[in-house]
Amino acid sequence: MDAIFIFFSSNYNMITIVILSIFLGIEVISRVPSVLHTPLMSGANAIHGVVVIGAIIVMGQAESNDYLVLTLGFLAVTLGTLNVVGGFVVTDRMLEMFSKKKNSKK
Amino acid sequence: MQNFILLLSYLIGSISFIVGLKMLSHPDTARKGNLYAAVGMTIAILATIFLYKDDSGNYLGNYPWIFGGLIIGTVIGTMMAKRVQMTGMPQMVSLFNGMGGACAAIISIVEFKHLMHKQANTETTSTITEALNSIIKLVTTYSNPSLILFTILLGLVIGTVSFFGSMIAFGKLNGNLNDRTLPAQQVINIGLLLIIVGLLAAMVTGFTGIDITVLFWALFGVSALYGILFVMPIGGADMPVVISLLNSFTGVAAACGGFLYSNPVMLTGGILVGSAGTILTILMCKAMNRSLTNVIVGAFGGNKNGAAQQEVGGAYKEISMSDTAVLMAYSKRIVIVPGYGLAVAQAQHICHELEKVLEEKEVEVTYAIHPVAGRMPGHMNVLLAEADVPYEKLKEMEEINPEFAQTDVVLILGANDVVNPAAKNDPASPIYGMPILEVEDAKHVIVNKRSMKPGYAGIENALFFQPKTSMLFGDAKKVLQDLVAELKAL
């Protein structure tokens, strides 16, 4: 039992963030028109590209002669960036369609 | 001070993700929301590059490599995203999702290597009691290498499944791969899942005494296999749901990275996408009136040779272009049902023109949008919006269904499963229970298809053989062009 207390108190911040984020995610999405499902999925797709930060940290901490890690890290940064940039640009292109028609109506 | 700025940047990043997602769920603010999230992401990334310090207070190095990766990723990502046609969007999202998964998996591989370097090996246990003890120890202390190892492994598994799954989904949507079901597919999938759990347990507790590096690569291999086999049997109509699910997987993989580096922005971003993605997946399932388990188990792909479906067949009749034109010109109300065929043929602009020509002849034209028409929810809305079709003309399923009875002509453009009456009246049909557009209530139904080939779910459509239905074969764009010409000549 003590063990659980220790785990809980030493990771209190992380646990709070995780639980609040879960509820926030549910709350933010729950009433979305089906028209926006695809752009929303695409936007969320871009956001999880935040994993690229991890790749940058890996890369930045690598020994400058450790070519295996450098190559892997380089690959990770490239792929993560692809995820972020591609994701946001694709989402923007989808949403552009919506706003264009809004303007033409005015 | 610098640490303060770094943390502040992370806070801004986290807030921008939340606000961005919130704004993305309303049509008016969606585009701005996407932009906010992108700006927040940029701030967080730049802050990491310049301000992040490791435990011993050193800044990150290897800037040329980092910026090289960033620039290459940005250029390729922008090019791909700009080039892709509206019809190819679903594949693109899947591809980018896979990239994120791969990124998470690679991070895990490198961190595993580091961890192994730091300490020759985690202690090995030989008895069950010792193994249990080490599990208890795992949850007790955060700094315990076992917990770090567990986070790394979790990131590896989820990232790998997400990458391979997304690649398969990409291949299928792109038409490179077909649905394939192994015999006893479900048993194999569950078996693989159990192996993954077993390997995880063995590695964290050190129970087996086998070299942990060997186990690590075994875990990687099994995860990859699971990702492939998980998506392989799932039918194309369910692909959006799968992509959304894999999307939330990648979110969780990113969150694992957040745990690993105690990085708040990765944690919030990842978990946010994980939970929002899960809800979105469930919403999509609801729109198709199917349960998530049903989709994952792969009823679409697996059922084909199973239960006896009602025999569908008989004679269908074709209608000529000029007859169609006359019929439409003298109708009062016409409903257009767009489907994937319209998207493939890139016929959205000519479709809008048809609508305008008809309106000049004082015919009322609306569009009936099924929630899963095309390959993704919202696919048709995006396409028609691109062609400047006014927003008010797009009616959702619940809204339009009661109106079909007062409709003279329904023009179906390359849609199939979403108007298949089997979903309503054939319990043996794989799409039974999915809400459909009840086009049969209209006076005339004109179906434009390229051939009599069944739709994506691979089942025949009884609608095509009904007396009030006429077939108008041909590529949607070509047919619509001819139709517009005929109408103008009338």
Side-chain angles (χ1 to χ4, degrees):
Chain A
M1 203 56 198
D2 277 354
I4 296 169
F5 283 144
I6 297 168
F7 171 72
F8 185 75
S9 46
S10 58
N11 296 293
Y12 180 72
N13 287 340
M14 293 282 226
I15 296 170
T16 311
I17 293 180
V18 167
I19 291 178
L20 289 184
S21 298
I22 290 175
F23 279 99
L24 205 58
I26 295 172
E27 201 50 41
V28 158
I29 297 293
S30 35
R31 267 182 302 279
V32 50
S34 65
V35 189
L36 284 175
H37 280 174
T38 305
L40 189 63
M41 171 157 84
S42 179
N45 177 39
I47 289 176
H48 69 51
V50 73
V51 69
V52 73
I53 289 180
I56 291 170
I57 295 174
V58 164
M59 179 96 266
Q61 288 177 345
E63 303 290 331
S64 52
N65 53 4
D66 189 349
Y67 288 106
L68 178 63
V69 171
L70 282 178
T71 314
L72 282 176
F74 178 72
L75 200 61
V77 172
T78 310
L79 295 181
T81 315
L82 248 166
N83 185 186
V84 174
V85 176
F88 280 125
V89 174
V90 158
T91 313
D92 190 61
R93 271 194 61 196
M94 287 185 203
L95 294 168
E96 193 184 12
M97 307 297 167
F98 289 88
S99 59
K100 214 197 314 179
K101 128 219 109 193
K102 282 262 154 54
N103 294 339
S104 62
K105 231 188 332 181
K106 273 171 198 163
Chain B
M1 182 63 189
Q2 279 180 338
N3 195 39
F4 168 75
I5 297 175
L6 178 68
L7 290 178
L8 192 66
S9 310
Y10 282 165
L11 191 62
I12 292 172
S14 298
I15 293 172
S16 82
F17 295 163
I18 297 164
V19 174
L21 268 185
K22 181 81 200 159
M23 290 173 82
L24 266 168
S25 46
H26 295 285
D28 296 342
T29 51
R31 202 173 175 197
K32 243 191 217 158
N34 186 47
L35 194 67
Y36 284 1
V39 170
M41 181 78 79
T42 314
I43 293 173
I45 290 175
L46 290 179
T48 308
I49 296 174
F50 293 111
L51 301 172
Y52 182 89
K53 279 189 235 174
D54 63 14
D55 295 336
S56 29
N58 298 318
Y59 284 107
L60 295 178
N62 300 318
Y63 279 169
W65 289 81
I66 294 178
F67 282 106
L70 283 176
I71 291 167
I72 293 175
T74 307
V75 171
I76 299 179
T78 314
M79 259 170 32
M80 283 167 85
K82 289 262 182 208
R83 285 239 185 100
V84 63
Q85 292 189 321
M86 273 298 149
T87 42
M89 285 297 174
Q91 293 93 298
M92 221 5 79
V93 174
S94 182
L95 185 70
F96 290 141
N97 182 47
M99 297 300 111
C103 181
I106 294 173
I107 292 173
S108 285
I109 293 173
V110 175
E111 285 303 323
F112 178 76
K113 204 172 157 288
H114 284 167
L115 192 69
M116 288 304 104
H117 201 65
K118 255 182 247 167
Q119 38 163 133
N121 207 341
T122 43
E123 56 199 293
T124 44
T125 49
S126 47
T127 65
I128 300 218
T129 356
E130 274 179 54
L132 281 178
N133 276 336
S134 85
I135 291 182
I136 292 166
K137 236 198 293 171
L138 158 74
V139 288
T140 50
T141 36
Y142 175 60
S143 55
N144 188 319
S146 297
L147 187 59
I148 296 176
L149 179 66
F150 181 69
T151 316
I152 292 175
L153 296 180
L154 206 61
L156 175 84
V157 171
I158 301 174
T160 310
V161 169
S162 180
F163 171 70
F164 283 95
S166 298
M167 288 305 108
I168 297 292
F170 172 78
K172 286 181 122 182
L173 283 170
N174 223 11
N176 306 335
L177 290 168
N178 297 324
D179 302 348
R180 251 179 233 136
T181 319
L182 294 176
Q185 177 88 41
Q186 292 169 39
V187 180
I188 295 177
N189 280 4
I190 292 169
L192 286 175
L193 214 59
L194 287 178
I195 296 176
I196 290 175
V197 173
L199 280 172
L200 276 175
M203 289 176 76
V204 171
T205 57
F207 183 56
T208 53
I210 302 172
D211 182 11
I212 198 161
T213 316
V214 175
L215 290 177
F216 182 82
W217 291 109
L219 186 66
F220 175 72
V222 177
S223 304
L225 196 61
Y226 181 73
I228 294 171
L229 292 181
F230 165 64
V231 180
M232 212 47 161
I234 295 176
D238 284 333
M239 240 355 118
V241 178
V242 177
I243 297 179
S244 176
L245 189 67
L246 292 172
N247 191 26
S248 58
F249 279 6
T250 314
V252 177
C256 287
F259 248 119
L260 207 56
Y261 299 113
S262 304
N263 187 308
V265 74
M266 285 173 78
L267 199 60
T268 34
I271 296 286
L272 207 56
V273 173
S275 80
T278 310
I279 293 298
L280 194 58
T281 312
I282 294 169
L283 283 178
M284 285 183 181
C285 284
K286 269 197 193 144
M288 296 197 291
N289 198 18
R290 316 219 8 238
S291 73
L292 187 57
T293 28
N294 197 345
V295 171
I296 295 173
V297 167
F300 257 79
N303 205 13
K304 257 178 225 160
N305 36 17
Q309 291 155 31
Q310 280 174 23
E311 273 300 307
V312 172
Y316 55 88
K317 62 171 190 283
E318 283 190 55
I319 187 169
S320 73
M321 200 59 75
S322 47
D323 286 350
T324 313
V326 171
L327 184 63
M328 291 182 94
Y330 292 99
S331 302
K332 272 210 201 69
R333 287 194 78 230
I334 291 181
V335 175
I336 297 177
V337 179
Y340 190 60
L342 176 95
V344 170
Q346 293 283 319
Q348 61 272 34
H349 293 282
I350 188 77
C351 185
H352 180 49
E353 205 178 323
L354 174 75
E355 167 212 322
K356 280 191 290 191
V357 172
L358 284 169
E359 301 237 293
E360 277 165 25
K361 296 188 185 294
E362 292 176 349
V363 183
E364 191 192 334
V365 183
T366 44
Y367 293 84
I369 311 291
H370 190 277
V372 294
R375 285 290 182 273
M376 276 188 152
H379 198 172
M380 289 300 131
N381 305 69
V382 172
L383 270 183
L384 292 171
E386 189 196 2
D388 290 326
V389 173
Y391 192 65
E392 315 84 71
K393 286 201 169 294
L394 309 183
K395 300 276 178 81
E396 295 201 8
M397 184 173 58
E398 294 81 12
E399 197 184 346
I400 194 92
N401 265 345
E403 292 179 20
F404 279 120
Q406 294 96 50
T407 302
D408 299 302
V409 177
V410 171
L411 178 63
I412 299 174
L413 296 170
N416 190 343
D417 298 326
V418 297
V419 293
N420 192 339
K424 256 192 342 195
N425 51 30
D426 181 3
S429 170
I431 60 166
Y432 182 70
M434 180 173 94
I436 55 160
L437 291 164
E438 286 155 6
V439 295
E440 314 167 80
D441 297 344
K443 292 199 190 78
H444 297 277
V445 178
I446 297 174
V447 181
N448 166 239
K449 274 170 77 39
R450 272 178 299 186
S451 67
M452 281 307 283
K453 256 177 65 185
Y456 218 96
I459 43 174
E460 288 289 348
N461 193 336
L463 177 76
F464 302 160
F465 304 101
Q466 284 181 2
K468 67 168 85 165
T469 310
S470 321
M471 307 300 292
L472 186 61
F473 290 117
D475 173 77
K477 192 172 191 172
K478 176 87 177 51
V479 165
L480 287 176
Q481 277 165 348
D482 293 349
L483 198 56
V484 168
E486 286 276 353
L487 276 168
K488 278 183 176 160
L490 272 179

